Amino acid sequence: MARSKRAVVARDLFVGTASVVTGALIAYSLDGPTAWPPGVAAVAFGVALFAAVDRSTVGPYGLTAGLVGSILAFAALLWWLVPGPLVAVFPPLLVGLGVGTAANRLLFGVVYSLPEARLRRENVT
């Protein structure tokens, strides 16, 4: 694996780990209980979302709009499903997206090669 490919893998694993740690810290700081079962759905959502992002050929603006829109729509769905304040949605969402990001990058970056669209977007090829 070339150095630039390792940088992509390391950066995505760092982002995933940072999201998990941030979600855990938010959950720890909340007064009430955190609803962790939606986190399983958030992991599946994160894997699917970031796998789609890796293979997307749209430009950076379309990719950013799609990511933000998808995450906001999923957060709204979790908010509707999880009783309690809006802040109770953040821990399972952040942990799920972090695990999804890391799992996708471990699978497509460590076990298998990075997708071609991602390599082109990172100017690695």
Side-chain angles (χ1 to χ4, degrees), residues 36-52 70 74 78 92-104:
W36 287 110
V40 175
V43 169
F45 174 75
V47 168
L49 179 67
F50 292 109
S70 299
F74 190 72
L78 284 181
L93 180 65
L94 284 174
V95 169
L97 289 175
V99 170
T101 302
N104 179 57

Side-chain angles (χ1 to χ4, degrees), residues 10-36:
R11 183 180 56 229
D12 287 350
L13 289 176
F14 174 77
V15 168
T17 304
S19 295
V20 169
V21 169
T22 303
L25 289 173
I26 292 172
Y28 179 74
S29 68
L30 290 177
D31 289 336
T34 302
W36 287 110

